[in-house]
Amino acid sequence: MATYVARNGIGENQRRVEDFRFLTGHGHYIDDMKLENQAYGMVLRSPEAHADIKSIDATEALALDGVLLVVTGEDWKAAGYGTIPTKSGVRKFKDGSDLKEPPHHAIAIDRVRYVGQPVALVVAESLDACRDAMELIEVDYESLPAVSHQSEAIKDGAPQIWDDIPNNICLDFELGDEDAQKKAFEDADHVITLELINNRVTATPIEPRGALADYDAESGKFTLWNASQNIHANRDTIADTVLKIGKENLHHIAPDVGGGFGGKNGVYPEPILILHAAREIKRPVKWVNDRSESFLSDTHGRDQVSTVQLALDNDGTFRGLRTETVGNLGAFCGTVGPFTPTGGSSRTQGGPFRFDGIYYTAIAPFTNTCPLDPYRGAGRPEGSYQMDRIIDYAAAKLGMDPIELRRKNLIPPSDLPMKSPMGLDIDCGNFPEVFEKTIEISDRAGFEKRKEASEAKGLKRGFGVCMYLECTGGGPKEEAKVTFRDDGKVELSVGTASTGMGHETVFAQLLSGHLGIAMEDVVFRQSDTDATDIGGGHGGSRGLEVGGSAVTQTSRQIIEVGKKIAAHRFDVDAGEIEFEEGRFHVPGTNHTMTIRDAIDSQNDPDSLPDDLEPGCMNISSVFERGIISIPNGGHACEVEVDPETGTVKVDGYWVVDDFGTIVNKMLADGQVMGGIAQGLGQALMENIHYDESGQLVTGSLMDYALPRADDMPRMVIDYYEDAPTEKNLLGVKGAGEAGCVGAPPAIVNAVCDALKEYGVHHIDMPLTPEKVWQAIRDAKAAG
Amino acid sequence: MYDFGIKNPTSVDDVKTALGESDDGQFLAGGQTLIPVLKQRLAMPSDLISLARVDGLSGISAGGDSISVKAMTCHAEVAANADIKSAIPALAKLAGGIGDPHVRNRGTIGGSVANNDPAADYPAAVLGLGATVVTSEREIEADNFFTGMFDTALNEGELITEISFPIPEAAGYIKFPNPATRYALVAVMVAKFGNTVRVAVTGAGPCVFRVAEMEQALTASFSPDSIKDGMVPADDLNNDIHASREYRAHLIGVLARRAVAEANG
Ligand SMILES: Cc1cc2nc3c(=O)[nH]c(=O)nc-3n(C[C@H](O)[C@H](O)[C@H](O)COP(=O)(O)OP(=O)(O)OC[C@H]3O[C@@H](n4cnc5c(N)ncnc54)[C@H](O)[C@@H]3O)c2cc1C
C-alpha cells in the first residue's frame, strides 16, 4: 500500500478507511462479542399500554434449567436505585415553574405506561432458555385507560398517566416576540393558516441496540460495552445517578456501532438492568434487542402537531410567523426528550427569511407511548417543514409563485452577521446565492418539457424547493488526544462517536494533513471512557465542528512542541522555526528535521530543551465551541405522481449546501444522501402508528415502511464554500442532519405542486399512495 | 425457535416415510416463510422434512400447450427461464418481482403455493392461468385449490410436486407492492385463452379470488375499457393500515386495466 499523506487534510476525497472492515464482515459489534462464562439477558416487555401490575410470578421460570436470574420492579425497589434523569436544556414552564419530570426507573415498578416497557429481565445460560423462561413468567395486569395521541392527552378528562401531572403536561414553552408578531399580523394583508402533522418515526439503525456488562467482584469495577452514541455522559448518569456506583467504577465502551441517528443517544433501561444482573450473578451478561423490540423500545422521533400561520403582504413580503406546537413526549422524559418540541423546534423558526415578528409556543405532554428523543435533526426538521410548507401553501392560496416568494424574502448577505428573531447567531452565509444556485442546477428550464413527457404517460409532474436554515448542537466541548507509540503508530483518540459516518477517515485525514504523517499510521480510538477524559459523543452534527476542531487544535500544539525540539537541536529560537509538510526548518539554512525525528527524540531527555519533559509531544487538548454554527442550504426536487394510484416517485433531486469548509466531499455527500433517504422515508412512507388504546400497530418491518435503494432518485449535490464560519477552527458548519431537514418539505412541496390542478394544496406526511389518491378524490368531490 | 429434528429424504416415497415417522412433521422448502415463523416461535413442528435433496422435485419443462414447474424450483429460475419468458412472460415477470434476490434464490413455487399467503404473488398466477397443482396424491385444479386465508385443499402430509401452467394466448400481471413488505397490496393476473378470460386478484382479500364480472366483460371485449370501476365491491376486501378496502377495490380496477393493456402488448 502506498503511503498516503493528506496534503493539508482539507478538501481531499480520502476514501473511507473503515469500509473494508465493515464490508467484509470484520466490524466488531456487540453481537460479535462473547466473554468467558457469559450469560444472556432478555427483557420481558409490557403488552399493556397502561396497567397496574398486580403481581409477577417467576417461580416456574426460575425453576427451568439454565435460568439464572429474574429481575423485577420489586428488586429495583429493594436496591434503591435512582431514576434515569432528563437532560433537557429547557427546564422551566413559561411561568417559571419547573418541568414535570416523572420518575423513570429502568424497570416498571407497580405500573406500566407503554407497550414495550421493561417489566422483567431474564438471565439464563442461553437465549433459548431466556425465551422459555419468558413464556413462564406470569404477570397479572389490571388495565387502565390509555391515551396515545398528544392532542387527546392534554384534554380535560383524558387518562392521567402520572397522578400528579395535570393534563399530562410536562412542559410548555414560548420563544420570540409575541407583540411584534401580533403587530405584524395586524399590519399584513394576509394571514395564512396551516395545520401540520410531523409524523412519528423511528431511527431503525441496521444494528439493534445491545450491550454486554461485566463485573469484577474483586475490584468492584464494571465494564459496559454498549451500542451507544454517547459514552461519557451516559456513563456518568448510569454510574453516578442511577446505580450509584461512582463513575470511576464504570468503564464504558462502544465498539463499532451500526447506525444511531439519535436513537442510541439516550440512557436506556436495558444496559442498566444487565449491569445490575452482572453484579448479582457475578458473570458477564449480554443483551441484544431483536428488531421487533427495537420498534417497541427505541426512542421515537418527531410526532408534532402544529398550527403555522404566515402573515404576508400583497406583494409577497413576509411580515410575521406564528407556530403553535403540541409535541408528544411518550410516557417518560427522554434524555433530551422535552427539549425537542420546545427549544429544539423553536430556534430555526423563520428559516433564512426576513420577518418583523416571530412567535413560537409549544406544549409537551406525556402519552402512553414509547418515550421520544432526538432523531436526526431533533426539532430543526420540524421547523423547516413548518416554514417551507407554509410558504408553498400560502403561494397556492394567494396565487403567488413559491420560488419568487422565497427570492423576495431571503435575508440578504448585507444583513449578516445578525441575530435572528429566535436568537440564533447567524454569522455568515449567502442565502440568495445558495438559493439561485439550487434553482440553477435543478434545470428549471427543462421542467416544462419533462412535465409534458410525464403527462403523456398519464402522470403529474411537480417541482418543489426548500431553503432550510439549521444549527448544530450537542456538547460544546471535545477532546482530541494524540499518543505517539513506540511501534511508530500514532494513536488518535477523540471523544466523538462515529456510528458509521467516517470519523476514522476524516479525523485521521486531518491529523495526517496537519502533521504530515502517513494516514495509515493513525490508529483511531473513540467512544471509550479510558481513551479520553471527556467526550461529547454523537449528536447535533457536531463531529467535525468540535471533534475536528479538537484534532486541529491538538495538532497545532504538537507542532509548537516540535518547533521547540527543532530549535533546541539547531540552537535557534523556536520563533525562527517553520513547519511545512511534515518538516521543521530554519528558513535560509539547511537545518531541517522531520516530524518523525521530533517524535523519535521526544523521549530522549538530551534532545529536549529544559522546559520539555519526555513524552511532551503526546498531547491532549479540549476544544470548546463558543456559539453553534448555522448550516443552510437549498433542496429542490421533482416528483412524478400517478393520479390513478396515488404513487409518488421522486424523479430528481438537487441540493446546494452551505456547510462552510468541506473537508472531505465524499463523506459530506454521504451524509447528505443518507439524510435525504431518511427525509424521503418520512415524507413518503415511514410512520410509527399507535392505535387509540396505545398498541403499536407498526411493530415490525412488515408494517413500518422504509425507503429502499430503488426509491431513491439520482441526487446532484453541490456546496457553497465561500462562507466558512469563524466559530470553529475548521470553518465547518455541520453536515450530519441537513439532508433530512431539507428533504421532507421539498418533497411534499413537489407533490402539492404536481397536484395543484386538482386543488390539492396539502397532505400530511407520510404521503402514502392511498393518502395521495384520497386527497385527489376529495378535491374532485369538493369541485 | 423451539427444538426440532431434521430429516433429509431423497425421494417422494422417502418423504412419506419420514413424515410418517414424525410426531408432527412439516415440509421445509426454501424456508423463506417457515424459518421466520419458527424463529418467532409461532410454530413448533417436531421435525422438518427438508425437500432440498428429493430427486426430481426441481426444474421446468415446456410441453406443447403447457409449462410444468416442479415444486422446488426457486423464483429466480422461473424468472430467468427462456421457455416461460417466451410463452408466459407475465409469469416470469411475476416471479422476478417476488421479494429480493435472496428470497428469489431460496423461495420455491411449491412453498409459496402451499403457504397461500393472502398477499403472495404465485396464487394469482396459479388461479389466473388456471394451472393444475400436481401433488403426491392427485391433481388439483386451481379453482379448487385455494380455500381460504393460508388455507388450501392439500391434505395433511400431501406434497406438491409440480404446477402445470397452460400457455395462454396473452396474459398480463400488474402488482401494486405494499410499501413496507413489497408483497402484493393488490395484484391482478389477467389471462386470455381463446374465448375465455380469467382474472385473478391477490393481496386484496383474505384469499386469492377470480372476478367473474371482469372476465365476462373482457370475454366480450379484451380491452382495458371493458373494466369498469366498482366491478369488485369493497365490502369483503382487506382493510388495514396500508390500505382501506375502498382503496383496494379501486386499485383492482386500475391494475386490471393495466394488466389487460400489458397482455395486449
Ligand atoms: C423478505 C421476503 C420477501 C418476500 N416477498 C414476497 C413477495 O413479494 N411475494 C411473494 O409472493 N412472496 C414473498 N415472500 C415469500 C416467498 O415467496 C417464499 O418463498 C414463499 O412464501 C414460501 O416458499 P418457501 O420455498 O420458502 O417455503 P417454506 O418457507 O419452506 O415453506 C412454506 C410452507 O409451505 C410448506 N411447503 C413447502 N413446500 C411444500 C410442498 N412442496 N408441498 C406442500 N407443502 C410445502 C411448508 O411446510 C411451509 O408450511 C417473501 C419472503 C421474504 C422472506
Side-chain angles (χ1 to χ4, degrees):
Chain A
M1 197 197 279
T3 297
Y4 179 83
V5 178
R7 242 184 315 113
N8 56 16
I10 292 177
E12 295 185 29
N13 291 337
Q14 179 60 35
R15 293 181 69 160
R16 288 164 52 101
V17 295
E18 49 271 79
D19 281 352
F20 186 78
R21 188 168 90 245
F22 292 155
L23 296 175
T24 56
H26 289 83
H28 186 64
Y29 299 91
I30 294 291
D31 210 34
D32 299 318
M33 299 186 67
K34 187 161 195 254
L35 296 183
E36 207 179 314
N37 210 22
Q38 171 180 302
Y40 296 83
M42 250 182 155
V43 176
L44 181 70
R45 299 182 181 279
S46 171
E48 297 268 341
H50 199 189
D52 281 327
I53 300 175
K54 289 291 170 196
S55 63
I56 302 179
D57 184 355
T59 329
E60 279 188 58
L62 281 165
L64 271 186
D65 240 16
V67 175
L68 302 165
L69 179 73
V70 175
V71 181
T72 69
E74 293 304 314
D75 303 299
W76 227 248
K77 273 194 230 171
Y81 291 137
T83 56
I84 304 171
T86 183
K87 300 286 173 71
S88 168
V90 178
R91 309 198 66 88
K92 299 269 186 214
F93 275 78
K94 286 191 284 196
D95 67 9
S97 58
D98 287 336
L99 120 161
K100 302 229 166 51
E101 182 177 4
H104 186 190
H105 283 287
I107 196 160
I109 295 180
D110 300 334
R111 187 180 279 191
V112 289
R113 290 181 170 83
Y114 66 94
V115 171
Q117 186 178 354
V119 171
L121 173 76
V122 176
V123 182
E125 296 287 355
S126 70
L127 286 173
D128 270 329
C130 288
R131 289 189 187 99
D132 291 341
M134 299 233 294
E135 289 178 5
L136 295 175
I137 297 178
E138 278 184 39
V139 186
D140 183 10
Y141 295 103
E142 193 171 290
S143 301
L144 296 165
V147 61
S148 53
H149 198 277
Q150 63 265 46
S151 304
E152 295 300 317
I154 55 176
K155 287 185 181 157
D156 289 336
Q160 276 285 124
I161 298 165
W162 298 97
D163 294 339
D164 53 351
I165 302 183
N167 295 82
N168 298 310
I169 295 175
C170 167
L171 190 63
D172 69 11
F173 179 80
E174 66 180 339
L175 189 70
D177 183 340
E178 189 175 18
D179 291 337
Q181 172 262 313
K182 282 195 165 149
K183 176 153 188 343
F185 274 45
E186 275 161 29
D187 294 349
D189 295 326
H190 309 277
V191 175
I192 303 292
T193 302
L194 179 61
E195 312 257 329
L196 288 174
I197 294 174
N198 208 292
N199 44 322
R200 184 173 181 131
V201 293
T202 184
T204 46
I206 221 165
E207 181 208 19
R209 292 188 299 111
L212 169 59
D214 193 17
Y215 174 67
D216 179 33
E218 225 164 278
S219 64
K221 288 195 188 293
F222 293 81
T223 307
L224 180 67
W225 291 268
N226 192 358
S228 167
Q229 302 173 216
N230 208 347
I231 289 299
H232 286 78
N234 291 355
R235 170 202 54 188
D236 298 357
T237 301
I238 293 170
D240 287 342
T241 315
V242 180
L243 293 176
K244 301 172 180 164
I245 52 175
K247 69 177 176 196
E248 63 286 358
N249 291 317
L250 178 59
H251 181 191
H252 199 192
I253 308 159
D256 282 329
V257 176
F261 313 108
K264 289 178 182 164
N265 228 331
V267 174
Y268 278 98
E270 301 89 345
I272 298 172
L273 295 175
I274 61 168
L275 282 166
H276 165 85
R279 180 163 61 182
E280 288 292 305
I281 64 168
K282 309 223 164 16
R283 286 174 62 176
V285 180
K286 181 161 105 174
W287 143 86
V288 178
N289 256 359
D290 67 23
R291 184 60 64 188
S292 303
E293 288 181 281
S294 304
F295 278 101
L296 289 170
S297 70
D298 286 6
T299 53
H300 298 153
R302 314 282 191 259
D303 205 355
Q304 297 187 10
V305 180
S306 305
T307 304
V308 189
Q309 293 183 290
L310 173 69
L312 71 171
D313 285 340
N314 284 326
D315 70 355
T317 305
F318 293 169
R319 305 298 298 273
L321 181 72
R322 182 185 178 99
T323 306
E324 294 170 17
T325 287
V326 186
N328 201 341
L329 292 186
F332 297 89
C333 291
T335 299
V336 186
F339 178 75
T340 307
T342 57
S345 299
S346 69
R347 294 173 298 174
T348 52
Q349 288 290 314
F353 303 103
R354 256 181 170 163
F355 282 99
D356 298 338
I358 303 181
Y359 182 64
Y360 179 85
T361 66
I363 302 173
F366 296 108
T367 60
N368 292 110
T369 63
C370 178
L372 286 96
D373 233 355
Y375 167 60
R376 203 170 192 172
R380 286 106 73 201
E382 293 90 321
S384 87
Y385 187 65
Q386 291 151 3
M387 185 72 249
D388 274 285
R389 278 302 297 135
I390 191 77
I391 295 178
D392 272 44
Y393 186 73
K397 288 282 165 189
L398 301 174
M400 296 176 177
D401 176 354
I403 295 178
E404 284 307 321
L405 264 189
R406 286 182 176 80
R407 202 168 258 152
K408 188 172 183 69
N409 290 287
L410 281 171
I411 297 168
S414 54
D415 280 13
L416 304 185
M418 69 177 274
K419 207 160 201 83
S420 83
M422 307 314 274
L424 275 185
D425 188 323
I426 309 177
D427 56 336
C428 59
N430 190 332
F431 308 135
E433 199 168 321
V434 168
F435 184 63
E436 296 307 334
K437 200 169 164 188
T438 310
I439 301 290
E440 187 190 307
I441 63 171
S442 70
D443 184 24
R444 286 297 286 154
F447 178 74
E448 284 309 320
K449 231 176 147 184
R450 292 191 292 277
K451 192 174 168 72
E452 273 169 35
S454 299
E455 203 72 40
K457 293 184 284 177
L459 305 174
K460 302 292 167 195
R461 182 171 282 266
F463 175 82
V465 285
C466 155
M467 251 315 277
Y468 76 85
L469 175 121
E470 61 136 344
C471 57
T472 55
K477 284 187 192 175
E478 200 48 88
E479 176 178 351
K481 178 162 146 189
V482 173
T483 311
F484 297 97
R485 297 197 322 209
D486 291 343
D487 63 2
K489 296 283 181 198
V490 185
E491 204 169 275
L492 171 64
S493 305
V494 187
T496 49
S498 177
T499 59
M501 297 84 82
H503 291 183
E504 216 167 311
T505 304
V506 74
F507 291 156
Q509 176 181 341
L510 282 173
L511 191 70
S512 166
H514 290 317
L515 298 184
I517 53 171
M519 258 193 85
E520 63 262 29
D521 286 342
V522 180
V523 178
F524 182 66
R525 278 180 85 190
Q526 63 162 9
S527 298
D528 184 334
T529 51
D530 277 1
T532 54
D533 289 338
I534 68 156
H538 163 45
S541 301
R542 66 187 290 282
L544 199 54
E545 180 196 42
V546 286
S549 291
V551 172
T552 301
Q553 180 176 284
T554 299
S555 302
R556 289 180 184 169
Q557 293 180 8
I558 289 167
I559 291 166
E560 287 315 306
V561 173
K563 281 182 179 172
K564 286 188 186 170
I565 295 173
H568 179 68
R569 169 160 322 166
F570 304 130
D571 203 14
V572 296
D573 205 58
E576 289 177 49
I577 306 286
E578 286 187 0
F579 182 74
E580 227 175 7
E581 294 186 1
R583 284 167 185 279
F584 299 96
H585 68 107
V586 184
T589 72
N590 59 2
H591 291 329
T592 48
M593 179 178 188
T594 64
I595 182 119
R596 194 40 80 184
D597 287 341
I599 294 163
D600 289 344
S601 47
Q602 73 154 335
N603 288 322
D604 167 22
D606 291 343
S607 303
L608 301 176
D610 291 344
D611 61 339
L612 291 180
E613 298 286 324
C616 52
M617 289 184 84
N618 298 337
I619 289 178
S620 177
S621 85
V622 172
F623 173 81
E624 181 163 6
R625 165 189 71 199
I627 311 169
I628 54 178
S629 312
I630 310 294
N632 60 87
H635 282 223
C637 97
E638 264 179 41
V639 298
E640 249 183 355
V641 182
D642 179 344
E644 273 197 313
T645 62
T647 309
V648 175
K649 179 171 175 43
V650 180
D651 198 40
Y653 211 100
W654 302 270
V655 187
V656 177
D657 284 309
D658 172 1
F659 294 155
T661 310
I662 301 297
V663 175
N664 182 326
K665 182 169 181 299
M666 209 185 296
L667 291 182
D669 284 355
Q671 288 300 305
V672 175
M673 286 179 196
I676 292 170
Q678 287 184 311
L680 182 147
Q682 182 179 17
L684 298 182
M685 59 190 91
E686 293 186 43
N687 199 38
I688 286 282
H689 179 73
Y690 283 93
D691 70 12
E692 281 168 20
S693 70
Q695 286 297 326
L696 178 64
V697 183
T698 48
S700 81
L701 289 169
M702 299 293 278
D703 287 311
Y704 187 85
L706 280 179
R708 304 180 197 209
D710 64 359
D711 289 311
M712 295 304 294
R714 195 174 76 89
M715 290 167 271
V716 179
I717 300 168
D718 210 336
Y719 300 96
Y720 178 78
E721 294 185 75
D722 293 341
T725 180
E726 287 174 7
K727 291 173 180 172
N728 60 67
L729 301 183
L730 291 167
V732 299
K733 297 181 179 175
E737 292 154 297
C740 71
V741 173
I747 292 169
V748 177
N749 285 347
V751 174
C752 291
D753 181 54
L755 302 183
K756 64 175 183 247
E757 65 184 77
Y758 300 107
V760 173
H761 301 307
H762 180 67
I763 308 173
D764 277 316
M765 298 189 291
L767 273 57
T768 59
E770 177 165 15
K771 273 209 228 161
V772 172
W773 169 76
Q774 191 65 49
I776 296 172
R777 204 160 78 133
D778 291 348
K780 279 182 177 166
Chain B
M1 281 189 192
Y2 296 106
D3 287 346
F4 53 80
I6 187 131
K7 298 198 156 98
N8 286 297
T10 51
S11 72
V12 173
D13 281 344
D14 283 357
V15 169
K16 289 181 191 156
T17 317
L19 198 61
E21 287 170 355
S22 312
D23 281 346
D24 180 18
Q26 190 169 5
F27 300 138
L28 173 69
Q32 296 303 291
T33 295
L34 186 51
I35 302 281
V37 166
L38 294 178
K39 280 170 102 174
Q40 290 178 68
R41 294 191 155 197
L42 295 173
M44 49 188 313
S46 64
D47 297 87
L48 294 185
I49 320 291
S50 170
L51 305 177
R53 293 180 202 166
V54 179
D55 251 0
L57 266 194
S58 186
I60 297 167
S61 50
D65 49 13
S66 70
I67 292 188
S68 167
V69 183
K70 292 277 174 47
M72 285 298 286
T73 310
C74 70
H75 311 330
E77 278 177 74
V78 174
N81 183 269
D83 291 328
I84 295 180
K85 275 162 84 175
S86 76
I88 325 178
L91 179 60
K93 176 188 173 191
L94 175 149
I98 295 175
D100 51 47
H102 304 274
V103 171
R104 292 196 288 275
N105 280 293
R106 292 294 307 171
T108 67
I109 191 167
S112 176
V113 171
N115 193 50
N116 192 20
D117 187 310
D121 291 275
Y122 266 128
V126 173
L127 190 62
L129 292 164
T132 302
V133 181
V134 183
T135 77
S136 50
E137 298 173 13
R138 56 191 164 140
E139 297 193 352
I140 310 172
E141 293 307 315
D143 284 324
N144 303 322
F145 185 83
F146 302 102
T147 49
M149 190 162 150
F150 293 106
D151 206 16
T152 66
L154 289 173
N155 295 321
E156 199 60 43
E158 187 172 2
L159 177 75
I160 297 178
T161 54
E162 65 181 85
I163 317 267
S164 173
F165 294 96
I167 296 172
E169 210 174 291
Y173 181 70
I174 305 287
K175 172 182 185 175
F176 191 92
N178 175 312
T181 64
R182 296 214 176 166
Y183 275 68
L185 190 76
V186 176
V188 181
M189 172 68 86
V190 173
K192 183 174 189 300
F193 299 85
N195 280 336
T196 37
V197 174
R198 296 175 69 99
V199 177
V201 178
T202 187
C207 178
V208 64
F209 62 89
R210 287 173 65 184
V211 187
E213 210 179 324
M214 287 185 182
E215 293 180 352
Q216 282 153 21
L218 289 170
T219 304
S221 164
F222 195 73
S223 122
D225 298 338
S226 302
I227 310 279
K228 303 282 181 245
D229 287 341
M231 281 182 163
V232 176
D235 311 347
D236 296 331
L237 300 183
N238 297 339
N239 197 45
D240 52 41
I241 55 163
H242 301 293
S244 66
R245 51 175 68 90
E246 290 75 23
Y247 181 55
R248 280 191 166 92
H250 165 77
L251 283 180
I252 293 171
V254 174
L255 304 187
R257 278 192 284 275
R258 291 181 184 180
V260 173
E262 185 181 89
N264 281 337

